[in-house]
């Protein structure tokens, strides 16, 4: 196998249908970038899930004067009710920790957390957030048992499971993830068809050469290798472009978002580079296999 | 396992020996194409010895090209067997076909040169694509270019050459790997009679090196002048097989 000859053939092939090659590279780049985004979202969702599930609490809000719950009857929860509730909670086997948070504590925590958005702080007054028990569960999935045993007890207004709120967040994240993967899959199909077309054009352009090669007894690998490598190189360039896109989106989008919003876990360069490697390999493999399959139909012995 | 030798054993061995001696052997070959009622070849039996020069004659559509394509395993027979160099082509696996073709050179009516390569590069291409080293190519290609009578024209482009010269390049390319067999499909079809004689001299020179030459042609003058073996096909059948024959009275 003479490398120089093969490289020369690849160069001729790529140059002869430059427009096709460019469109192929772009398609592969977009497909791989979306594929990588999907993978990154998946990683992100998983790691923030773990992070949040450790911190999940069930909040039991107690009756306040403004409560709309009829069983509160517009009265504050009594100290005796609070004590009874606390001991009942502590007795439950699913509960690992119970904390009492008064109105004042809740208000100052709220002020603290939203200190960067003054509009939020101004619209809330002390007493808007009622007294509550924050209950940490041994297993966040056991939420139902706890809420059932507490709901309807005197002095209880409502029980809020943070998991429910997070679920919505994760559903959105999951939706984004599958959207990215679906678009990536469509792009992959487009890329495969485009590789097929490009290689077919390339083979047609060089039918004289390949005809003579067959005639003088060049082996199939020798005839097909330039075409397959042509596809693979286009795939590689596309993959590298996808990597650049991913790096940019990490720097400009994710990191900037993370500095504004308090993200559960940061997307590290480690996972980004892993995804990049996977995306490039996948791009190259995809194109090589697609051109091989096209050639099998096109360059018969 | 040993096959029992029946009364036909000695006969089979005789056929086998004949097949070994023949470099090309058509054993009752029939070839039909799809969507065509009449087969291109019917029950063809021809044995071509090593070093022979054979003219394949007959009108268009008589099966000459099919005959040549069967030798290259570009087609496979519908019935019967084609043996090349003692090997049954139907038993030759696909990945070995390139090795068969390395031992067979081919020349066509339309030359089939690469227009963007000069004479040297066109001839060298045949060696490059079978992975021969550069040094070998640089040594062998000029020799063959001289052999076909193109001294000093190694760096011309094909469109700067006459038809006869282009065919010489094609012959050089076919012969550069020193094939056992040279197939020529109407090599003088696009060339005037005077130039054709030059081409025939080159083919004769190649034949004298021991290469078997099979040439399909319409050119009565050449066949008559050369007095080599002639196989005539008509409607896919061998109607004449003559050593030292002529093109035929009918034409």
């Amino acid at each position: 196998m003479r490398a120089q000859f093969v490289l020369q053939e690849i160069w001729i092939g790529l140059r002869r249908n430059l427009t096709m090659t460019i469109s192929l590279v772009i398609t592969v780049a977009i497909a791989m970038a979306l594929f990588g985004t999907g993978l990154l979202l998946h990683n992100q969702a998983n790691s923030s899930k773990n992070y949040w599930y450790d911190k999940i609490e069930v909040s039991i809000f107690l009756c306040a004067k403004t409560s709309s719950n009829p069983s509160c009857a517009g009265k504050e929860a009594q100290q005796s009710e609070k004590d009874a509730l606390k001991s009942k909670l502590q007795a439950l086997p699913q509960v690992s920790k119970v904390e009492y948070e008064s109105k004042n504590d809740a208000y100052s925590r709220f002020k603290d957390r939203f200190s960067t958005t003054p509009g939020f702080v101004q619209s809330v007054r002390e007493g808007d957030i009622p007294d509550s028990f924050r209950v940490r569960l041994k297993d966040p999935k056991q939420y139902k048992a706890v809420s059932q045993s507490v709901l309807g007890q005197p002095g209880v207004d409502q029980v809020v499971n943070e998991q429910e709120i997070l679920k919505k967040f994760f559903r959105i994240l999951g939706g984004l993830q599958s959207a990215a993967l679906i678009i990536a899959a469509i792009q992959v199909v487009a890329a495969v068809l485009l590789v097929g077309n490009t290689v077919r054009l390339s083979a047609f352009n060089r039918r004289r050469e390949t005809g003579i090669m067959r005639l003088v007894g060049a082996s199939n690998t020798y005839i097909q290798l330039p075409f397959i490598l042509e596809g693979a190189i286009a795939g590689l360039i596309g993959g590298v472009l996808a990597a650049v896109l991913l790096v940019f989106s990490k720097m400009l989008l994710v990191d900037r978002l993370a500095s504004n919003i308090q993200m559960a876990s940061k997307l590290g360069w480690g996972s980004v580079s892993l995804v990049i490697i996977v995306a490039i390999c996948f791009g190259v493999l995809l194109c090589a296999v697609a051109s091989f399959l096209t050639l099998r139909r096109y360059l018969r012995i | 396992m040993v096959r029992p030798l029946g009364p036909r054993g000695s006969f089979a061995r005789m056929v086998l020996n004949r097949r070994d001696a023949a470099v090309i052997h058509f054993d009752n070959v029939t070839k039909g194409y799809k969507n065509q009622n009449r087969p291109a070849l019917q029950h063809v039996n021809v044995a071509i010895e090593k070093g022979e020069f054979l003219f394949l004659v007959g009108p268009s559509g008589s099966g000459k090209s099919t005959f040549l394509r069967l030798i290259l395993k570009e087609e496979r027979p519908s019935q019967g067997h084609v043996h090349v160099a003692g090997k049954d082509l139907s038993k030759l696996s696909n990945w070995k076909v390139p090795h068969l073709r390395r031992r067979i050179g081919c020349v066509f009516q339309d030359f089939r040169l690469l227009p963007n390569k000069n004479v040297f590069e066109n001839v060298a291409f045949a060696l490059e694509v079978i992975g021969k080293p550069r040094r070998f190519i640089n040594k062998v290609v000029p020799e063959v270019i001289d052999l076909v009578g193109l001294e000093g024209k190694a760096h011309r482009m094909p469109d700067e050459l006459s038809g006869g010269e282009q065919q010489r390049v094609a012959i050089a390319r076919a012969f550069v790997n020193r094939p056992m067999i040279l197939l020529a499909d109407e090599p003088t079809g696009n060339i005037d009679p005077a130039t054709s004689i030059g081409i025939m001299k080159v083919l004769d020179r190649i034949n004298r090196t021991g290469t078997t030459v099979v040439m399909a042609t319409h050119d009565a003058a050449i066949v008559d002048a050369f007095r080599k073996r002639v196989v005539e096909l008509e409607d896919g059948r061998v109607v004449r097989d003559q050593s030292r024959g002529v093109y035929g009275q009918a034409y």
Side-chain angles (χ1 to χ4, degrees), chain A residues 2 5 16 208 212-219 222 301, chain B residues 74 94 98 101-102 108 112-113 128-130 132 134 173:
Chain A
R2 295 194 26 228
F5 174 79
R16 272 201 196 159
R208 270 178 205 273
I212 291 166
M213 282 163 97
R214 285 180 28 191
L215 209 64
V216 299
S219 60
Y222 221 103
I301 297 182
Chain B
E74 289 208 55
N94 269 348
R101 292 186 185 152
R102 283 178 201 187
F108 300 93
R112 301 199 188 173
L113 300 178
E128 276 172 355
V129 299
I130 57 174
K132 295 281 191 214
R134 189 87 242 171
R173 183 180 63 197

PDB file of all heavy atoms in Angstrom, chain A residues 2 5 16 208 212-219 222 301, chain B residues 74 94 98 101-102 108 112-113 128-130 132 134 173:
ATOM      1  N   ARG A   2       0.702   2.083  -0.970  1.00  0.00           N
ATOM      2  CA  ARG A   2       1.549   3.268  -1.027  1.00  0.00           C
ATOM      3  C   ARG A   2       0.766   4.475  -0.563  1.00  0.00           C
ATOM      4  O   ARG A   2      -0.188   4.924  -1.186  1.00  0.00           O
ATOM      5  CB  ARG A   2       2.100   3.446  -2.423  1.00  0.00           C
ATOM      6  CG  ARG A   2       3.021   2.291  -2.751  1.00  0.00           C
ATOM      7  CD  ARG A   2       3.883   2.506  -3.945  1.00  0.00           C
ATOM      8  NE  ARG A   2       4.142   3.906  -4.199  1.00  0.00           N
ATOM      9  CZ  ARG A   2       4.000   4.428  -5.391  1.00  0.00           C
ATOM     10  NH1 ARG A   2       3.580   3.715  -6.384  1.00  0.00           N
ATOM     11  NH2 ARG A   2       4.288   5.687  -5.573  1.00  0.00           N
ATOM     12  N   PHE A   5       0.176   7.577  -2.828  1.00  0.00           N
ATOM     13  CA  PHE A   5      -0.840   7.400  -3.863  1.00  0.00           C
ATOM     14  C   PHE A   5      -2.235   7.591  -3.283  1.00  0.00           C
ATOM     15  O   PHE A   5      -3.064   8.310  -3.841  1.00  0.00           O
ATOM     16  CB  PHE A   5      -0.708   6.005  -4.476  1.00  0.00           C
ATOM     17  CG  PHE A   5      -1.798   5.673  -5.439  1.00  0.00           C
ATOM     18  CD1 PHE A   5      -1.761   6.162  -6.729  1.00  0.00           C
ATOM     19  CD2 PHE A   5      -2.876   4.895  -5.046  1.00  0.00           C
ATOM     20  CE1 PHE A   5      -2.769   5.871  -7.611  1.00  0.00           C
ATOM     21  CE2 PHE A   5      -3.890   4.602  -5.924  1.00  0.00           C
ATOM     22  CZ  PHE A   5      -3.836   5.083  -7.222  1.00  0.00           C
ATOM     23  N   ARG A  16     -12.450  17.724  -6.007  1.00  0.00           N
ATOM     24  CA  ARG A  16     -13.334  17.697  -7.168  1.00  0.00           C
ATOM     25  C   ARG A  16     -14.765  17.995  -6.805  1.00  0.00           C
ATOM     26  O   ARG A  16     -15.468  18.650  -7.549  1.00  0.00           O
ATOM     27  CB  ARG A  16     -13.253  16.333  -7.873  1.00  0.00           C
ATOM     28  CG  ARG A  16     -12.164  16.327  -8.885  1.00  0.00           C
ATOM     29  CD  ARG A  16     -12.421  15.239  -9.896  1.00  0.00           C
ATOM     30  NE  ARG A  16     -11.209  14.966 -10.660  1.00  0.00           N
ATOM     31  CZ  ARG A  16     -11.014  13.834 -11.302  1.00  0.00           C
ATOM     32  NH1 ARG A  16     -11.908  12.878 -11.249  1.00  0.00           N
ATOM     33  NH2 ARG A  16      -9.924  13.652 -11.991  1.00  0.00           N
ATOM     34  N   ARG A 208     -13.291   6.448 -14.564  1.00  0.00           N
ATOM     35  CA  ARG A 208     -12.199   6.022 -15.449  1.00  0.00           C
ATOM     36  C   ARG A 208     -11.092   5.351 -14.645  1.00  0.00           C
ATOM     37  O   ARG A 208     -10.656   4.257 -14.969  1.00  0.00           O
ATOM     38  CB  ARG A 208     -11.562   7.250 -16.099  1.00  0.00           C
ATOM     39  CG  ARG A 208     -12.137   7.691 -17.384  1.00  0.00           C
ATOM     40  CD  ARG A 208     -11.343   8.937 -17.756  1.00  0.00           C
ATOM     41  NE  ARG A 208     -12.069   9.824 -18.629  1.00  0.00           N
ATOM     42  CZ  ARG A 208     -12.063   9.707 -19.954  1.00  0.00           C
ATOM     43  NH1 ARG A 208     -11.380   8.758 -20.524  1.00  0.00           N
ATOM     44  NH2 ARG A 208     -12.753  10.537 -20.681  1.00  0.00           N
ATOM     45  N   ILE A 212      -9.986   1.378 -14.634  1.00  0.00           N
ATOM     46  CA  ILE A 212      -8.658   0.874 -14.968  1.00  0.00           C
ATOM     47  C   ILE A 212      -8.063   0.114 -13.789  1.00  0.00           C
ATOM     48  O   ILE A 212      -7.440  -0.935 -13.962  1.00  0.00           O
ATOM     49  CB  ILE A 212      -7.749   2.044 -15.399  1.00  0.00           C
ATOM     50  CG1 ILE A 212      -8.236   2.578 -16.744  1.00  0.00           C
ATOM     51  CG2 ILE A 212      -6.302   1.592 -15.519  1.00  0.00           C
ATOM     52  CD1 ILE A 212      -7.663   3.910 -17.107  1.00  0.00           C
ATOM     53  N   MET A 213      -8.306   0.630 -12.586  1.00  0.00           N
ATOM     54  CA  MET A 213      -7.781  -0.066 -11.406  1.00  0.00           C
ATOM     55  C   MET A 213      -8.319  -1.490 -11.326  1.00  0.00           C
ATOM     56  O   MET A 213      -7.580  -2.433 -11.054  1.00  0.00           O
ATOM     57  CB  MET A 213      -8.144   0.705 -10.141  1.00  0.00           C
ATOM     58  CG  MET A 213      -7.261   1.919  -9.914  1.00  0.00           C
ATOM     59  SD  MET A 213      -7.974   3.050  -8.742  1.00  0.00           S
ATOM     60  CE  MET A 213      -7.142   2.588  -7.260  1.00  0.00           C
ATOM     61  N   ARG A 214      -9.619  -1.619 -11.582  1.00  0.00           N
ATOM     62  CA  ARG A 214     -10.210  -2.962 -11.546  1.00  0.00           C
ATOM     63  C   ARG A 214      -9.590  -3.838 -12.617  1.00  0.00           C
ATOM     64  O   ARG A 214      -9.303  -5.016 -12.402  1.00  0.00           O
ATOM     65  CB  ARG A 214     -11.711  -2.877 -11.780  1.00  0.00           C
ATOM     66  CG  ARG A 214     -12.488  -2.376 -10.616  1.00  0.00           C
ATOM     67  CD  ARG A 214     -13.935  -2.345 -10.984  1.00  0.00           C
ATOM     68  NE  ARG A 214     -14.172  -3.380 -12.000  1.00  0.00           N
ATOM     69  CZ  ARG A 214     -15.268  -3.511 -12.697  1.00  0.00           C
ATOM     70  NH1 ARG A 214     -16.238  -2.664 -12.536  1.00  0.00           N
ATOM     71  NH2 ARG A 214     -15.392  -4.470 -13.580  1.00  0.00           N
ATOM     72  N   LEU A 215      -9.390  -3.228 -13.785  1.00  0.00           N
ATOM     73  CA  LEU A 215      -8.899  -3.977 -14.927  1.00  0.00           C
ATOM     74  C   LEU A 215      -7.487  -4.496 -14.704  1.00  0.00           C
ATOM     75  O   LEU A 215      -7.155  -5.615 -15.093  1.00  0.00           O
ATOM     76  CB  LEU A 215      -8.910  -3.041 -16.138  1.00  0.00           C
ATOM     77  CG  LEU A 215      -9.104  -3.683 -17.478  1.00  0.00           C
ATOM     78  CD1 LEU A 215     -10.469  -4.318 -17.518  1.00  0.00           C
ATOM     79  CD2 LEU A 215      -8.982  -2.625 -18.543  1.00  0.00           C
ATOM     80  N   VAL A 216      -6.638  -3.682 -14.103  1.00  0.00           N
ATOM     81  CA  VAL A 216      -5.251  -4.116 -13.926  1.00  0.00           C
ATOM     82  C   VAL A 216      -5.081  -4.883 -12.624  1.00  0.00           C
ATOM     83  O   VAL A 216      -3.978  -5.263 -12.282  1.00  0.00           O
ATOM     84  CB  VAL A 216      -4.265  -2.939 -13.980  1.00  0.00           C
ATOM     85  CG1 VAL A 216      -4.335  -2.246 -15.316  1.00  0.00           C
ATOM     86  CG2 VAL A 216      -4.501  -1.976 -12.847  1.00  0.00           C
ATOM     87  N   GLY A 217      -6.185  -5.117 -11.904  1.00  0.00           N
ATOM     88  CA  GLY A 217      -6.113  -6.018 -10.758  1.00  0.00           C
ATOM     89  C   GLY A 217      -5.755  -5.355  -9.447  1.00  0.00           C
ATOM     90  O   GLY A 217      -5.116  -5.975  -8.609  1.00  0.00           O
ATOM     91  N   ALA A 218      -6.164  -4.088  -9.284  1.00  0.00           N
ATOM     92  CA  ALA A 218      -5.978  -3.481  -7.973  1.00  0.00           C
ATOM     93  C   ALA A 218      -6.952  -4.143  -7.008  1.00  0.00           C
ATOM     94  O   ALA A 218      -8.066  -4.484  -7.378  1.00  0.00           O
ATOM     95  CB  ALA A 218      -6.244  -1.985  -8.046  1.00  0.00           C
ATOM     96  N   SER A 219      -6.492  -4.339  -5.773  1.00  0.00           N
ATOM     97  CA  SER A 219      -7.370  -5.011  -4.814  1.00  0.00           C
ATOM     98  C   SER A 219      -8.495  -4.066  -4.411  1.00  0.00           C
ATOM     99  O   SER A 219      -8.400  -2.852  -4.578  1.00  0.00           O
ATOM    100  CB  SER A 219      -6.569  -5.427  -3.589  1.00  0.00           C
ATOM    101  OG  SER A 219      -6.009  -4.290  -2.991  1.00  0.00           O
ATOM    102  N   TYR A 222      -7.612  -1.295  -2.135  1.00  0.00           N
ATOM    103  CA  TYR A 222      -6.878  -0.211  -2.797  1.00  0.00           C
ATOM    104  C   TYR A 222      -7.818   0.713  -3.547  1.00  0.00           C
ATOM    105  O   TYR A 222      -7.634   1.922  -3.579  1.00  0.00           O
ATOM    106  CB  TYR A 222      -5.865  -0.816  -3.781  1.00  0.00           C
ATOM    107  CG  TYR A 222      -4.553  -0.117  -3.764  1.00  0.00           C
ATOM    108  CD1 TYR A 222      -3.468  -0.677  -3.122  1.00  0.00           C
ATOM    109  CD2 TYR A 222      -4.391   1.119  -4.371  1.00  0.00           C
ATOM    110  CE1 TYR A 222      -2.265  -0.038  -3.085  1.00  0.00           C
ATOM    111  CE2 TYR A 222      -3.187   1.770  -4.335  1.00  0.00           C
ATOM    112  CZ  TYR A 222      -2.120   1.187  -3.697  1.00  0.00           C
ATOM    113  OH  TYR A 222      -0.931   1.824  -3.655  1.00  0.00           O
ATOM    114  N   ILE A 301     -17.063  -5.828  -8.146  1.00  0.00           N
ATOM    115  CA  ILE A 301     -15.970  -6.431  -8.904  1.00  0.00           C
ATOM    116  C   ILE A 301     -16.442  -6.723 -10.320  1.00  0.00           C
ATOM    117  O   ILE A 301     -17.499  -7.296 -10.491  1.00  0.00           O
ATOM    118  CB  ILE A 301     -15.500  -7.748  -8.265  1.00  0.00           C
ATOM    119  CG1 ILE A 301     -14.940  -7.487  -6.878  1.00  0.00           C
ATOM    120  CG2 ILE A 301     -14.444  -8.392  -9.146  1.00  0.00           C
ATOM    121  CD1 ILE A 301     -14.423  -8.723  -6.205  1.00  0.00           C
TER     122      ILE A 301
ATOM    123  N   GLU B  74     -15.389 -10.879 -15.453  1.00  0.00           N
ATOM    124  CA  GLU B  74     -16.317  -9.757 -15.309  1.00  0.00           C
ATOM    125  C   GLU B  74     -17.732 -10.269 -15.444  1.00  0.00           C
ATOM    126  O   GLU B  74     -18.679  -9.620 -15.026  1.00  0.00           O
ATOM    127  CB  GLU B  74     -16.041  -8.702 -16.389  1.00  0.00           C
ATOM    128  CG  GLU B  74     -14.734  -7.978 -16.138  1.00  0.00           C
ATOM    129  CD  GLU B  74     -14.756  -6.578 -16.706  1.00  0.00           C
ATOM    130  OE1 GLU B  74     -15.675  -5.830 -16.348  1.00  0.00           O
ATOM    131  OE2 GLU B  74     -13.854  -6.251 -17.482  1.00  0.00           O
ATOM    132  N   ASN B  94     -14.149 -14.063  -4.790  1.00  0.00           N
ATOM    133  CA  ASN B  94     -14.156 -12.688  -5.273  1.00  0.00           C
ATOM    134  C   ASN B  94     -12.890 -11.919  -4.927  1.00  0.00           C
ATOM    135  O   ASN B  94     -12.406 -11.122  -5.717  1.00  0.00           O
ATOM    136  CB  ASN B  94     -15.358 -11.944  -4.691  1.00  0.00           C
ATOM    137  CG  ASN B  94     -16.557 -12.057  -5.612  1.00  0.00           C
ATOM    138  OD1 ASN B  94     -16.412 -12.481  -6.753  1.00  0.00           O
ATOM    139  ND2 ASN B  94     -17.711 -11.691  -5.115  1.00  0.00           N
ATOM    140  N   PRO B  98      -8.864  -9.880  -8.283  1.00  0.00           N
ATOM    141  CA  PRO B  98      -7.800  -8.940  -8.652  1.00  0.00           C
ATOM    142  C   PRO B  98      -6.485  -9.624  -8.998  1.00  0.00           C
ATOM    143  O   PRO B  98      -5.798  -9.204  -9.931  1.00  0.00           O
ATOM    144  CB  PRO B  98      -7.660  -8.080  -7.406  1.00  0.00           C
ATOM    145  CG  PRO B  98      -8.998  -8.106  -6.773  1.00  0.00           C
ATOM    146  CD  PRO B  98      -9.534  -9.477  -7.047  1.00  0.00           C
ATOM    147  N   ARG B 101      -6.627 -10.837 -12.459  1.00  0.00           N
ATOM    148  CA  ARG B 101      -6.541  -9.753 -13.451  1.00  0.00           C
ATOM    149  C   ARG B 101      -5.130  -9.185 -13.557  1.00  0.00           C
ATOM    150  O   ARG B 101      -4.784  -8.585 -14.569  1.00  0.00           O
ATOM    151  CB  ARG B 101      -7.539  -8.653 -13.099  1.00  0.00           C
ATOM    152  CG  ARG B 101      -8.960  -9.147 -13.295  1.00  0.00           C
ATOM    153  CD  ARG B 101      -9.979  -8.080 -13.102  1.00  0.00           C
ATOM    154  NE  ARG B 101     -11.319  -8.669 -13.186  1.00  0.00           N
ATOM    155  CZ  ARG B 101     -12.386  -8.188 -12.579  1.00  0.00           C
ATOM    156  NH1 ARG B 101     -12.280  -7.097 -11.840  1.00  0.00           N
ATOM    157  NH2 ARG B 101     -13.547  -8.778 -12.692  1.00  0.00           N
ATOM    158  N   ARG B 102      -4.330  -9.375 -12.519  1.00  0.00           N
ATOM    159  CA  ARG B 102      -2.938  -8.924 -12.620  1.00  0.00           C
ATOM    160  C   ARG B 102      -2.157  -9.745 -13.627  1.00  0.00           C
ATOM    161  O   ARG B 102      -1.115  -9.321 -14.104  1.00  0.00           O
ATOM    162  CB  ARG B 102      -2.257  -9.043 -11.254  1.00  0.00           C
ATOM    163  CG  ARG B 102      -2.672  -7.922 -10.340  1.00  0.00           C
ATOM    164  CD  ARG B 102      -2.069  -8.033  -8.982  1.00  0.00           C
ATOM    165  NE  ARG B 102      -2.890  -7.250  -8.071  1.00  0.00           N
ATOM    166  CZ  ARG B 102      -2.589  -7.000  -6.811  1.00  0.00           C
ATOM    167  NH1 ARG B 102      -1.468  -7.491  -6.306  1.00  0.00           N
ATOM    168  NH2 ARG B 102      -3.380  -6.288  -6.057  1.00  0.00           N
ATOM    169  N   PHE B 108      -8.266  -1.947 -25.360  1.00  0.00           N
ATOM    170  CA  PHE B 108      -9.599  -1.734 -25.928  1.00  0.00           C
ATOM    171  C   PHE B 108      -9.537  -0.823 -27.142  1.00  0.00           C
ATOM    172  O   PHE B 108      -8.553  -0.122 -27.367  1.00  0.00           O
ATOM    173  CB  PHE B 108     -10.525  -1.110 -24.885  1.00  0.00           C
ATOM    174  CG  PHE B 108     -10.695  -1.971 -23.672  1.00  0.00           C
ATOM    175  CD1 PHE B 108      -9.876  -1.799 -22.570  1.00  0.00           C
ATOM    176  CD2 PHE B 108     -11.645  -2.969 -23.647  1.00  0.00           C
ATOM    177  CE1 PHE B 108     -10.024  -2.605 -21.464  1.00  0.00           C
ATOM    178  CE2 PHE B 108     -11.792  -3.777 -22.543  1.00  0.00           C
ATOM    179  CZ  PHE B 108     -10.977  -3.592 -21.441  1.00  0.00           C
ATOM    180  N   ARG B 112      -8.826   3.989 -23.406  1.00  0.00           N
ATOM    181  CA  ARG B 112      -9.058   4.141 -21.963  1.00  0.00           C
ATOM    182  C   ARG B 112      -7.832   4.649 -21.213  1.00  0.00           C
ATOM    183  O   ARG B 112      -7.418   4.086 -20.201  1.00  0.00           O
ATOM    184  CB  ARG B 112      -9.533   2.828 -21.347  1.00  0.00           C
ATOM    185  CG  ARG B 112     -10.807   2.358 -21.993  1.00  0.00           C
ATOM    186  CD  ARG B 112     -11.553   1.357 -21.181  1.00  0.00           C
ATOM    187  NE  ARG B 112     -12.653   0.838 -21.990  1.00  0.00           N
ATOM    188  CZ  ARG B 112     -13.430  -0.156 -21.635  1.00  0.00           C
ATOM    189  NH1 ARG B 112     -13.226  -0.750 -20.478  1.00  0.00           N
ATOM    190  NH2 ARG B 112     -14.402  -0.557 -22.421  1.00  0.00           N
ATOM    191  N   LEU B 113      -7.261   5.746 -21.733  1.00  0.00           N
ATOM    192  CA  LEU B 113      -6.144   6.366 -21.013  1.00  0.00           C
ATOM    193  C   LEU B 113      -6.713   7.429 -20.077  1.00  0.00           C
ATOM    194  O   LEU B 113      -7.823   7.916 -20.271  1.00  0.00           O
ATOM    195  CB  LEU B 113      -5.184   7.011 -22.008  1.00  0.00           C
ATOM    196  CG  LEU B 113      -4.553   6.057 -23.019  1.00  0.00           C
ATOM    197  CD1 LEU B 113      -3.661   6.823 -23.982  1.00  0.00           C
ATOM    198  CD2 LEU B 113      -3.762   4.963 -22.318  1.00  0.00           C
ATOM    199  N   GLU B 128       1.263   1.302  -9.871  1.00  0.00           N
ATOM    200  CA  GLU B 128       1.012   1.983  -8.595  1.00  0.00           C
ATOM    201  C   GLU B 128      -0.145   1.349  -7.850  1.00  0.00           C
ATOM    202  O   GLU B 128      -0.072   1.108  -6.654  1.00  0.00           O
ATOM    203  CB  GLU B 128       0.687   3.467  -8.844  1.00  0.00           C
ATOM    204  CG  GLU B 128       1.915   4.339  -8.977  1.00  0.00           C
ATOM    205  CD  GLU B 128       1.561   5.745  -9.415  1.00  0.00           C
ATOM    206  OE1 GLU B 128       0.377   6.014  -9.706  1.00  0.00           O
ATOM    207  OE2 GLU B 128       2.468   6.581  -9.460  1.00  0.00           O
ATOM    208  N   VAL B 129      -1.234   1.093  -8.604  1.00  0.00           N
ATOM    209  CA  VAL B 129      -2.447   0.637  -7.925  1.00  0.00           C
ATOM    210  C   VAL B 129      -2.371  -0.824  -7.487  1.00  0.00           C
ATOM    211  O   VAL B 129      -3.260  -1.289  -6.786  1.00  0.00           O
ATOM    212  CB  VAL B 129      -3.709   0.845  -8.789  1.00  0.00           C
ATOM    213  CG1 VAL B 129      -3.889   2.319  -9.090  1.00  0.00           C
ATOM    214  CG2 VAL B 129      -3.644   0.034 -10.065  1.00  0.00           C
ATOM    215  N   ILE B 130      -1.334  -1.534  -7.900  1.00  0.00           N
ATOM    216  CA  ILE B 130      -1.177  -2.858  -7.310  1.00  0.00           C
ATOM    217  C   ILE B 130      -0.016  -2.835  -6.320  1.00  0.00           C
ATOM    218  O   ILE B 130       0.488  -3.877  -5.902  1.00  0.00           O
ATOM    219  CB  ILE B 130      -1.014  -3.974  -8.365  1.00  0.00           C
ATOM    220  CG1 ILE B 130       0.179  -3.696  -9.281  1.00  0.00           C
ATOM    221  CG2 ILE B 130      -2.268  -4.100  -9.208  1.00  0.00           C
ATOM    222  CD1 ILE B 130       0.467  -4.843 -10.232  1.00  0.00           C
ATOM    223  N   LYS B 132       3.178  -1.599  -6.362  1.00  0.00           N
ATOM    224  CA  LYS B 132       4.602  -1.825  -6.668  1.00  0.00           C
ATOM    225  C   LYS B 132       5.429  -0.627  -6.180  1.00  0.00           C
ATOM    226  O   LYS B 132       4.962   0.513  -6.238  1.00  0.00           O
ATOM    227  CB  LYS B 132       4.787  -1.992  -8.182  1.00  0.00           C
ATOM    228  CG  LYS B 132       4.117  -3.225  -8.739  1.00  0.00           C
ATOM    229  CD  LYS B 132       4.918  -4.471  -8.478  1.00  0.00           C
ATOM    230  CE  LYS B 132       4.365  -5.635  -9.282  1.00  0.00           C
ATOM    231  NZ  LYS B 132       4.473  -6.922  -8.607  1.00  0.00           N
ATOM    232  N   ARG B 134       8.151   2.387  -5.951  1.00  0.00           N
ATOM    233  CA  ARG B 134       8.539   3.452  -6.877  1.00  0.00           C
ATOM    234  C   ARG B 134       9.768   3.088  -7.716  1.00  0.00           C
ATOM    235  O   ARG B 134       9.837   3.326  -8.914  1.00  0.00           O
ATOM    236  CB  ARG B 134       8.837   4.705  -6.038  1.00  0.00           C
ATOM    237  CG  ARG B 134       9.041   5.983  -6.822  1.00  0.00           C
ATOM    238  CD  ARG B 134       7.739   6.676  -7.098  1.00  0.00           C
ATOM    239  NE  ARG B 134       7.538   6.754  -8.543  1.00  0.00           N
ATOM    240  CZ  ARG B 134       6.399   7.161  -9.114  1.00  0.00           C
ATOM    241  NH1 ARG B 134       5.371   7.484  -8.379  1.00  0.00           N
ATOM    242  NH2 ARG B 134       6.293   7.212 -10.416  1.00  0.00           N
ATOM    243  N   ARG B 173       0.627  -0.116 -21.012  1.00  0.00           N
ATOM    244  CA  ARG B 173       0.017  -0.242 -19.692  1.00  0.00           C
ATOM    245  C   ARG B 173      -0.453  -1.676 -19.436  1.00  0.00           C
ATOM    246  O   ARG B 173      -0.334  -2.195 -18.331  1.00  0.00           O
ATOM    247  CB  ARG B 173      -1.173   0.711 -19.573  1.00  0.00           C
ATOM    248  CG  ARG B 173      -1.806   0.699 -18.209  1.00  0.00           C
ATOM    249  CD  ARG B 173      -2.967   1.638 -18.122  1.00  0.00           C
ATOM    250  NE  ARG B 173      -4.040   1.236 -19.031  1.00  0.00           N
ATOM    251  CZ  ARG B 173      -5.020   2.036 -19.391  1.00  0.00           C
ATOM    252  NH1 ARG B 173      -5.062   3.282 -18.961  1.00  0.00           N
ATOM    253  NH2 ARG B 173      -5.960   1.611 -20.206  1.00  0.00           N
TER     254      ARG B 173
END
